Each structure stands twice: as structure tokens, then as C-alpha cells.
Amino acid sequence: VTRAALLFSAFFLLAWPASADDDCPNDWYSSKKGDCWLTTPAFSGKPEKYYVHQHGWLIREDCVFHYGGNSLLDFMTTAWNKMNPAIGPSKGGCMSVFNPGKGQGWIDDIWTRRIILTCDQAGSSGDTCAATRKVRMGQGGGEYREIALMNVGSCDQPGGTGVPGIIFHETLHALDVTARSDHNSPENMSQVQFVQDQVYGAEMVCFYGMDAKTRKDVNIVQCTDLADGDPNNKCNGFNAEFSDYLRAGIYKHEGP
Ligand SMILES: [Zn+2]
């Protein structure tokens, strides 16, 4: 660790909203109180410190050093706003339009599923920008979900959904939203297969479907799946072209 890195870390610790001694109350989980720090061996089996995001994710302390507190929290809130049925489209909402009930379920489950963010491989140069898995609790029984942030930069390209998109996408995995078995190799899917994947679909609809300019690039099946059949006709204006010979990337539109 260099001196510069230590100074850098200290800066971000100070910038983190709750101070490092702002411990969570004992009932933080049942009362859904975040913006506080928790030290617990429950996840890994040895005591570790986590920042509890105001909307329920837990962020292991070392992620502070990699992503800078406030920007990561803001990216997570951007993702959460898209899920929240109380946030209208002019404020960055999405599920308030397409499926309020499903969005409410998601934000409730972010608290109850115990989703932690880790950064062991942050800054790695691999192909994977993030990955989510189910893990047995180190203590106390049950299981938790781990979102490992890895080579985030590789998925944070101009015109893409950015870090909020990565958080949104990985959180949907943590919430067990249905993904195709070949989800991790979209380059091998045809477009008509790709649009059946509900994790990519929700990401495309919520990041590009809100704006008429980019909505035409998002497939209508991605919208009707998210809207559970679209009983309220919210999917007008989405793209209705299908192809089983064009590659996923042709209409994948990770960027508009
Ligand atoms: Zn995925």
C-alpha cells in the first residue's frame, strides 16, 4: 500500500455518508434501517464490516476503497429508483410504469435476501465485470447472495447502462429473476433467444425503454415479459422485429 493510496482511502472513508463508527441498531434488519455500519461474522464466518445501504444491500468495507463511497451508493440508488413503484419516470423510475407490483417485490426482497457486495476481484482484468452467487451463511444457517464486483470497467462503456446497470442486473440475479441457462454467453444466442432472457430484458427496458428515442431499439417481448403480459398496454412503441438467424448482438442493444 502506498502513501497516496492511504490518503485516497482516508478521503473516501470521510466521504462515506455514515461515519465509520455509526453502528447499526440491533433491530436494523427487522426495522429496515440502513445508512449504518455492521460488523458481523454471519456471512464469511469471521467478523467483517459492512456498510448497510439505505435500501438494504450490504457493502463490504473494502469496496469503499475501490469505488469511492458516495458514487457507488448513488449508482445503487439509481438502480433502486428504477425498481421502486413510487418513483415516476421523470425521477428515474421504471417499474412504476411497467409493473409496480413486481417492482415492490424486488425492493422488499433486497432487504430480506441479504445481498452483499464484495470487491475481492475488483480491478481484475478478466472478462467478467460482476457475478452473483448463492452462498451458505458462515454462521446462523440459511444463505445469502453475493454480488462480486470484478472488472466493472469492461462493462462500463459509452452508451451502455453503466455501473447502475451492472448493479440492477446483478441484483435481479440475486432476486432469482429468470435467466436463460446460456445467459453468460449471449454472443452464442440468436436475437429471438436473447429477448427471452428476463434479466437482460428488464435491464434493457428500464435503461432504454423509458425514452422514445431508444425505446424503438428494445424488443417488445422484453417489455411484455417485464409487464407480465402488458395488461395496461405500456409496451407500445417497442421493437417488434424477431430473428432466429441474426445474432443476439444485432438487436441486443446493450447500448442504443
Ligand atoms: Zn447476468
Side-chain angles (χ1 to χ4, degrees):
V1 178
T2 65
R3 183 185 188 80
L6 283 171
L7 288 169
F8 182 78
S9 307
F11 171 78
F12 280 115
L13 272 176
L14 290 171
W16 204 250
S19 89
D21 350 289
D22 208 346
D23 289 334
C24 293
N26 288 337
D27 67 343
W28 69 274
Y29 185 73
S30 58
S31 61
K32 299 188 175 177
K33 285 204 186 74
D35 187 24
C36 56
W37 290 86
L38 180 72
T39 300
T40 177
F43 296 105
S44 70
K46 59 178 201 285
E48 287 182 316
K49 197 164 181 177
Y50 300 86
Y51 176 77
V52 182
H53 188 279
Q54 60 173 330
H55 299 312
W57 293 273
L58 285 82
I59 308 161
R60 209 175 61 196
E61 187 181 31
D62 56 299
C63 286
V64 176
F65 304 114
H66 288 284
Y67 294 105
N70 287 320
S71 60
L72 180 60
L73 297 189
D74 289 348
F75 291 144
M76 295 169 80
T77 296
T78 299
W80 184 83
N81 285 345
K82 292 191 180 291
M83 299 179 180
N84 188 346
I87 306 282
S90 65
K91 300 259 193 306
C94 168
M95 294 305 278
S96 56
V97 174
F98 294 104
N99 200 329
K102 189 179 278 185
Q104 185 65 50
W106 289 350
I107 62 173
D108 290 345
D109 287 352
I110 289 174
W111 277 102
T112 56
R113 290 285 169 96
R114 292 184 284 212
I115 305 172
I116 71 170
L117 266 71
T118 63
C119 290
D120 290 319
Q121 294 172 73
S124 70
S125 56
D127 289 340
T128 308
C129 62
T132 299
R133 64 189 184 124
K134 213 181 276 188
V135 193
R136 301 289 310 164
M137 296 291 284
Q139 285 189 5
E143 55 192 17
Y144 67 95
R145 314 300 163 111
E146 177 187 7
I147 297 175
L149 298 178
M150 298 159 88
N151 186 12
V152 167
S154 71
C155 299
D156 186 17
Q157 303 296 333
T161 62
V163 180
I166 295 168
I167 301 289
F168 183 89
H169 180 115
E170 296 304 324
T171 299
L172 295 188
H173 283 307
L175 300 177
D176 295 330
V177 170
T178 306
R180 285 176 57 97
S181 58
D182 53 354
H183 175 87
N184 286 329
S185 44
E187 66 279 9
N188 296 329
M189 294 181 206
S190 68
Q191 181 260 357
V192 76
Q193 293 169 324
F194 179 78
V195 300
Q196 295 165 1
D197 187 287
Q198 294 186 21
V199 174
Y200 288 123
E203 184 183 356
M204 298 302 106
V205 172
C206 280
F207 284 77
Y208 301 123
M210 306 309 296
D211 180 340
K213 285 199 295 287
T214 50
R215 169 174 295 198
K216 61 181 171 28
D217 296 325
V218 182
N219 187 274
I220 194 164
V221 163
Q222 295 175 307
C223 181
T224 55
D225 277 353
L226 188 65
D228 290 333
D230 194 23
N232 301 310
N233 298 313
K234 298 294 185 183
C235 296
N236 297 332
F238 283 81
N239 191 303
E241 294 169 46
F242 296 89
S243 168
D244 58 7
Y245 66 90
L246 291 175
R247 305 288 282 229
I250 305 295
Y251 291 113
K252 186 177 164 189
H253 296 297
E254 284 201 316

